[in-house]
Amino acid sequence: MSSAVYIKLSRPDTQPTDQQKLQEEERQAGPTDPKTDNEAYRRQQQSQTQSSSASSSATASVSISSLTQDATNVYVSGVVDGQTKGTCTARLSSGSQTITKTAPLGLVTNYYACQGFTITKTEFPAKGSWDVKIEFVNGSTTGSSPTERITLQ
């Protein structure tokens, strides 16, 4: 009768490479949505979390993203961080004269923005310098952009 000898070979412990670690983290995280995998989305989600845990009134961060004009119109666009619905109001003023336009907040690819304002130059009672501000309201959450100036040509 012959007897078999089994030898157990041992390999030195190997550490996973950085690439293997990343692959394992991705596997554990599951599929991701590229729309939600960007800085603007993360900032917006963080603001929503902070505003939902805040008191009954909160402040939204509002900014004017563009302020331009052509031969017949003035165009105003704004972004509101941390909000997914609400109403934007553009206020253009010069002295005691004010022009007010409203627009809903809406999704633009992967962030939320005021749906834009187009003001025909015939709506302006006078040429010259006009201060422009965008205000935002959604229930008890409000916000206002810094004022920018445009010279009507």
Side-chain angles (χ1 to χ4, degrees):
M1 197 174 213
S2 71
S3 64
V5 176
Y6 295 97
I7 300 173
K8 181 178 178 184
L9 298 175
S10 64
R11 294 176 32 198
D13 290 335
T14 57
Q15 296 293 325
T17 65
D18 288 341
Q19 179 68 28
Q20 290 168 327
K21 290 177 187 177
L22 287 173
Q23 288 172 340
E24 177 61 20
E25 288 174 11
E26 288 175 358
R27 186 188 64 70
Q28 290 175 358
T32 61
D33 181 355
K35 182 172 104 176
T36 62
D37 195 27
N38 65 61
E39 183 60 31
Y41 181 83
R42 282 191 290 276
R43 200 173 63 213
Q44 186 168 21
Q45 294 304 310
Q46 181 181 14
S47 293
Q48 284 177 334
T49 302
Q50 290 170 351
S51 66
S52 66
S53 64
S55 64
S56 62
S57 75
T59 302
S61 175
V62 181
S63 60
I64 294 175
S65 56
S66 72
L67 178 58
T68 60
Q69 63 181 305
D70 61 21
T72 56
N73 297 310
V74 172
Y75 305 96
V76 183
S77 299
V79 175
V80 181
D81 285 340
Q83 300 297 312
T84 57
K85 60 184 175 180
T87 302
C88 299
T89 301
R91 295 194 193 285
L92 297 88
S93 58
S94 180
S96 63
Q97 300 170 325
T98 302
I99 298 171
T100 303
K101 299 286 184 178
T102 60
L105 190 69
L107 181 63
V108 180
T109 60
N110 58 2
Y111 61 93
Y112 285 83
C114 302
Q115 292 299 295
F117 306 95
T118 301
I119 304 101
T120 61
K121 288 188 174 179
T122 58
E123 294 180 66
F124 289 87
K127 291 188 178 194
S129 293
W130 286 77
D131 291 332
V132 181
K133 179 178 258 191
I134 296 177
E135 298 166 348
F136 172 80
V137 175
N138 177 13
S140 61
T141 302
T142 61
S144 183
S145 73
T147 301
E148 292 194 25
R149 182 166 284 181
I150 189 169
T151 301
L152 204 60
Q153 300 171 348

